[in-house]
Amino acid sequence: MQKSNGLPAAKRFTLTWLGEKDWLALLLWFGLSILVAAKELLANNANNFSVFRYVYLHLVAQKPLYIPYPEHYYDVNMYGPVYSIIIAPFALLPFSVGAMLWVIANALFLYIAIRKLPITRIQQNLVLIFTSHELMGSSSYFQFNPSIIACLILSFVLIRQGKDFWAAFFIIIATLVKLYGIVGLAFFFFSKHRWRFIGSLILWGAVLWILPAVISSFDYIVQSYREWGEAIVQKNKKNYKFDQGVIFQNISAMGFIQRVFHLKQLNNLWVLCPAFLLFGTHYLRLQWKENKEYCLYLLCSVLLFTVIFSTSSESPTYIIAFPAVCIWYVMQRPTRWNNALFIFVLIFTSFAHSDLLTPWMRHNVMLPYAGKAFPSIIMWLVIVYQIWDKQFLRLPPPVGSAAVV
């Protein structure tokens, strides 16, 4: 007998049962991140939070933001000046307290964003459960990436709700921190008030661009943005040097092709131009922009595209991409093909750098060949095809008893 919520029998005692457990979603989502953050803090391995903390401290002191400070941390800050305002409350706290609250705040922000998605409560829980391991990986690096995807999801949700002013805010804040936020403009055609949306982007761009000057100076902020641009260019050049041992960066479609086929001088345009053309085909289906499933498909494509076509992608960046895989999966029919594809992406993306694949696999295949990118590339191509094929019009009823619009 079929359940009243429209759930196919094959999922009745598996995904439904799992998705009904709010407590399990909460436990895995926050518990894993808190545990891994505590472990890293006890091991004195929170370098990234040191980098982030000093963005605020150096900005207040009007010191350069994009040069090494080996006396405080290794690596170099790559976030925009406005990041100083975001990190300030955590930077002023004792180091361990600020770092732990930082991890919790990022997890909470993304949790809220996922709860705002136009899918059922059961589907939301499943996304949280399946994504919790990827979030744990990002949290172990004290990364801001969970908040980047939260901004993208909220911009998507708010545009569909007609709240363009606040949608623009989240796009701009993410862009001025890490540039990834610019992909939020992909949702432009969902807006019912496009001129208001454009005006809001300009307003928030001006306000947030100049906001750090409140705790520093205008000239210093102008110079910092110039130095930020130069630092991004230099980092992009470094990302290509896989033959010189740079294996933790450029875990992308370009990096995968470059390493597998030993193309040291691969021109990104050979990959990016076809990718943009394929992405552009999504808008051939804009006549269904009021269709929730079409919009969710495009959201999934945007989140995956952001990571797999960026030379700056690294393992913790996949907290932006992997939730898209989970959103896609909870919308599908439970066919063997869909289940197999999801399990493939789950294992070889979310667990790519874990001992689940054995240390030999991790060190000899996944890391040197940017293997974590490959399943997400396949997943993105599947979504591209399904949007073209109008798969969003043939999805089963949502998993859960209440309709979501």
Side-chain angles (χ1 to χ4, degrees):
M1 183 179 293
Q2 199 91 341
K3 275 195 174 184
S4 61
N5 60 15
L7 182 68
K11 286 188 178 180
R12 186 178 306 163
F13 299 109
T14 53
L15 295 188
T16 301
W17 178 87
L18 197 62
E20 288 173 344
K21 305 297 183 286
D22 281 17
W23 64 268
L24 181 60
L26 281 168
L27 178 64
L28 291 175
W29 188 258
F30 291 101
L32 291 177
S33 289
I34 290 171
L35 283 174
V36 76
K39 174 178 174 290
E40 297 299 327
L41 285 170
L42 288 172
N44 195 28
N45 190 24
N47 178 74
N48 278 346
F49 185 72
S50 294
V51 177
F52 301 157
R53 185 169 175 263
Y54 274 97
V55 173
Y56 167 75
L57 298 175
H58 287 155
L59 185 134
V60 170
Q62 298 192 35
K63 294 182 178 180
L65 297 179
Y66 305 102
I67 62 173
Y69 288 93
E71 69 275 21
H72 299 307
Y73 50 78
Y74 60 88
D75 210 343
V76 178
N77 168 51
M78 292 302 301
Y79 288 179
V82 76
Y83 190 63
S84 60
I85 305 297
I86 297 171
I87 198 68
F90 306 93
L92 295 171
L93 294 170
F95 186 89
S96 294
V97 175
M100 182 59 74
L101 289 178
W102 174 248
V103 166
I104 294 171
N106 276 274
L108 178 61
F109 189 27
L110 181 51
Y111 175 86
I112 292 170
I114 290 173
R115 286 298 187 202
K116 297 292 184 181
L117 282 169
I119 55 180
T120 67
R121 182 80 176 188
I122 287 177
Q123 289 174 315
Q124 291 171 359
N125 283 343
L126 290 172
V127 172
L128 292 167
I129 290 168
F130 290 141
T131 307
S132 59
H133 182 266
E134 194 65 41
L135 176 67
M136 180 182 73
S138 179
S139 297
S140 70
Y141 290 90
F142 297 86
Q143 286 279 9
F144 184 66
N145 289 319
S147 290
I148 294 292
I149 179 179
C151 287
L152 293 175
I153 290 175
L154 288 174
S155 67
F156 165 82
V157 170
L158 290 167
I159 285 176
R160 291 191 72 244
Q161 293 177 348
K163 300 175 182 178
D164 300 74
F165 181 76
W166 290 110
F169 168 79
F170 286 112
I171 291 172
I172 294 298
I173 195 72
T175 302
L176 291 180
V177 169
K178 206 176 178 182
L179 295 185
Y180 285 146
I182 196 70
V183 300
L185 295 178
F187 311 132
F188 174 79
F189 294 104
F190 295 161
S191 173
K192 298 179 179 65
H193 315 97
R194 293 175 185 173
W195 286 111
R196 183 191 304 171
F197 182 49
I198 293 171
S200 298
L201 289 169
I202 295 171
L203 175 63
W204 282 119
V207 170
L208 295 173
W209 191 88
I210 200 62
L211 184 61
V214 174
I215 55 175
S216 56
S217 71
F218 179 80
D219 290 341
Y220 169 79
I221 291 303
V222 171
Q223 179 63 25
S224 293
Y225 276 109
R226 185 180 298 114
E227 292 170 355
W228 186 34
E230 294 170 356
I232 290 172
V233 171
Q234 291 303 313
K235 184 177 185 295
N236 186 57
K237 292 179 180 178
K238 181 181 177 181
N239 291 340
Y240 285 98
K241 298 180 180 179
F242 71 95
D243 57 324
Q244 299 179 25
V246 180
I247 60 174
F248 294 101
Q249 302 292 324
N250 199 8
I251 304 178
S252 64
M254 293 81 74
F256 175 77
I257 294 170
Q258 186 183 31
R259 298 181 198 189
V260 170
F261 297 102
H262 301 283
L263 301 173
K264 297 180 182 179
Q265 303 301 322
L266 174 68
N267 188 327
N268 283 346
L269 293 178
W270 288 108
V271 180
L272 292 177
C273 287
F276 276 110
L277 287 173
L278 287 174
F279 186 85
T281 63
H282 298 345
Y283 297 105
L284 297 176
R285 302 296 182 229
L286 265 180
Q287 65 193 91
W288 284 282
K289 66 181 179 180
E290 301 300 328
N291 180 287
K292 172 173 64 73
E293 285 72 25
Y294 164 72
C295 295
L296 285 168
Y297 262 75
L298 193 136
L299 171 66
C300 292
S301 178
V302 167
L303 297 179
L304 283 161
F305 188 98
T306 302
V307 177
I308 63 176
F309 295 109
S310 168
T311 59
S312 294
S313 293
E314 50 190 357
S315 182
T317 315
Y318 275 77
I319 186 56
I320 298 174
F322 191 70
V325 180
C326 300
I327 295 167
W328 171 87
Y329 179 62
V330 300
M331 295 167 60
Q332 304 305 305
R333 297 184 185 278
T335 64
R336 289 182 180 180
W337 158 253
N338 289 334
N339 291 338
L341 179 58
F342 177 71
I343 292 170
F344 170 69
V345 181
L346 174 67
I347 293 174
F348 290 97
T349 294
S350 189
F351 290 89
H353 295 174
S354 74
D355 287 339
L356 180 68
L357 296 183
T358 75
W360 184 92
M361 184 75 168
R362 183 173 71 249
H363 292 295
N364 294 282
V365 178
M366 303 308 292
L367 281 173
Y369 293 101
K372 184 164 183 166
F374 180 65
S376 294
I377 297 168
I378 298 298
M379 186 73 257
W380 183 72
L381 290 173
V382 167
I383 290 173
V384 169
Y385 170 77
Q386 289 186 340
I387 292 177
W388 174 256
D389 191 47
K390 296 181 283 191
Q391 175 72 30
F392 51 86
L393 297 177
R394 302 190 296 273
L395 294 174
V399 181
S401 57
V404 178
V405 294

